[in-house]
Amino acid sequence: MKFALYSLVANYSGGMSQRDRLRRVIDEAVFAEQLGFDAYGVGERHGEPFLSSSPPVILAAVAENTEHVRLLTTLTVISVLDPVRVAEDYATLDQLSGGRLELMIGKGNDPRHFPLFGLEESRQWEYQAEKFELLRRLWYEEKVTWSGQFRPPLDEITTQPRPFHDRPRIWHGSASSTEPTELAAKWGDPLFTANGFHPKKKYADLIDHYRRQWADYGRDPADALVGSGAGGLYVASTSQAAIAGYRPHFEALTKTAAYQHNRSEFTTLEEKIANGSALVGSPQQVIDKIGDYHASFGHEVQAVSVDGLDTAEARDVLELFAAEIMPQVRKDLPSRAWAEPQA
C-alpha cells in the first residue's frame, strides 16, 4: 500500500487567519514527506469553509519545499474549468516539480461551483466527459484540432509547457455515480474512490463496475489500479482515546454544508466508525480496517486527511500513523503504484 496525505484546506472554526491556514498546508506537506508519505494532495473547492480554490498555486509552493513526495490533486474540478488552462497550469507544476504531479479529475462534490462559473448543474457529466477528453488530447498530443459544445474550437494547438513526462497519469475521482468509473475504464486510467460518507458497499459496487467495464474494453482486470480515501483519521494509543479525541471534530463536521449535501447515513460517530470508513481507533484497529476495506476494494493507494484537527493534534496523529500503521500495511499489502523512482 502507498499512502497519501491530502487537504481541502478547510478552515472550519475560522480560528486561523487565511494566510496561516494556507501556510499550514506547506508545513504539513513537508512533515508528510519527512514521515515517509508517498504523496501529498490538495483538493479543489470554491466556497467556505475551504480555501483551496487554486490547487496548482498551493502545490507549486509545496513542490518548492519538498523533494520526493508526489503531488496529487484531490481532485481537480474539470467540469467547471477550461481544459486549456488546466493543461497549462498543471504542466507548469509538473515541470517545476520534476515530474511529481499525479492529476486527479472529477466533476466535483459541491453544487455551488456550477452557478459560480455560469454553468448548469444538470449538465455536469457532459462537462466532465468532454473537458477531460480534450485535456487528455492536449497533454498526450501536439497540434490538436478539436471542436465541442462547451468552448471555442481549437486548430493545431500545442499547449505550453509540455508535461515533464510524455504521458502523465490521470486519475478519475469517484464518489456516487458510474459516470467516472465508465470514463476511467474507457480510457484505461486509474480510479480513486472518495469512500467518505457512506457504507462500504456503495463504493465497492462502483469499483466493481469499473473493473467490469475495464474488462469489457478488452483490458486485463488485474491491470486496473484503484486508490481510496477515508472518512476521517484519528489514531491514539487506545480506541477510547481516539474516539474521545475525534468526537468534537466529527460533531463539527456534521454541521457543515458538505456533510449535509452528501446525505450520509451516519448520524453518530459510533455509526461512522462501525459502518463507515473512518480510521478512528488504536493502531491495530486502523490496520485491521484498512485491510478489511482492501479485501473489498483491492486498492493500492490509501489517502487520509487531518483537516479539522489543530496543528499539534494533527502532527501527533500523523506521527503515530506513520510509525505504527504504514510499515505494517505496506508489508501486508504490496502496491504497484508509483513503483518507479522519481526523476
Side-chain angles (χ1 to χ4, degrees), residues 139-154:
W139 263 11
Y140 294 175
E141 303 174 27
E142 298 184 357
K143 295 185 178 180
V144 173
T145 296
W146 174 93
S147 63
Q149 297 184 69
F150 304 122
R151 62 149 292 128
L154 302 174

Side-chain angles (χ1 to χ4, degrees), residues 12-87:
Y12 293 122
S13 65
M16 301 179 73
S17 70
Q18 293 194 347
R19 180 185 185 278
D20 287 346
R21 182 64 187 91
L22 287 163
R23 292 300 312 177
R24 174 178 158 177
V25 174
I26 314 305
D27 295 339
E28 189 174 272
V30 171
F31 191 52
E33 182 170 79
Q34 293 169 350
L35 291 175
F37 278 84
D38 301 285
Y40 188 85
V42 175
E44 181 179 342
R45 291 290 188 276
H46 297 274
E48 295 179 338
F50 307 107
L51 307 180
S52 56
S53 56
S54 299
V57 177
I58 300 173
L59 287 171
V62 170
E64 287 302 293
N65 287 274
T66 56
E67 295 181 4
H68 307 295
V69 71
R70 290 178 185 266
L71 309 175
L72 280 172
T73 66
T74 50
L75 49 69
T76 296
V77 186
I78 191 70
S79 58
V80 302
L81 303 176
D82 180 356
V84 173
R85 182 80 263 180
V86 173

